Amino acid sequence: MAKKDQTTDAATEKDREKWMARFQVRLATQPGVDRAVVLQAVKDVTAHCADTGEHPRTAFGDPDACAVQAAARLVPADRAARTKRHDAVVDALDSVLKGARDVAGL
C-alpha cells in the first residue's frame, strides 16, 4: 500500500510541476512581464499552496488564465500598453522586411 501512495504522490508532484511550468511560460509571454513579475507570481502561488496544501489547479484553476490574471495584477497598465505598442511596431517591421525579401527573391 505504501508503494501506491508513493506513486500517487509522485504523480501529484509531477502534475504540480507541469502546472507551474505552464503558468510561468504563459506569464512570461504577457505584455510588460519581466523576471521580477514572474518571480513574484511564482512566490505568491507557491506560498498559497504551501499554506493551504492545495494543488495550484485547485486553488487557481487553469494556468493560462491564472497567468493572464497575475500579469494584469502585477504589471502596471502603462508598461503593458507600452510593450504592446512596441511589439506591434516590431511585428509591422518584420512583415515589411519579409515582403521586401520576397520581392527581392531572397
Side-chain angles (χ1 to χ4, degrees):
M1 182 107 145
K3 186 168 182 111
K4 185 176 181 183
D5 290 342
Q6 288 175 351
T7 304
T8 303
D9 289 346
T12 300
E13 184 57 32
K14 184 170 180 129
D15 187 49
R16 182 185 322 268
E17 289 172 5
K18 287 172 70 175
W19 190 98
M20 288 298 292
R22 176 71 185 203
F23 172 68
Q24 290 175 54
V25 167
R26 181 71 166 126
L27 182 60
T29 64
Q30 297 302 300
V33 171
D34 59 10
R35 185 172 190 269
V37 170
V38 173
L39 291 174
Q40 182 61 52
V42 168
K43 180 181 172 185
D44 293 347
V45 169
T46 303
H48 175 84
C49 292
D51 290 346
T52 64
E54 289 180 294
H55 186 284
R57 185 173 310 282
T58 303
F60 299 101
D62 179 63
D64 293 344
C66 184
V68 171
Q69 293 169 354
R73 181 175 47 87
L74 296 171
V75 176
D78 62 328
R79 185 167 76 187
R82 189 170 49 250
T83 302
K84 284 180 186 177
R85 285 192 305 273
H86 176 267
D87 290 350
V89 169
V90 170
D91 289 346
L93 287 174
D94 187 47
S95 178
V96 168
L97 290 174
K98 183 179 184 290
R101 282 191 299 266
D102 290 345
V103 168
L106 301 173

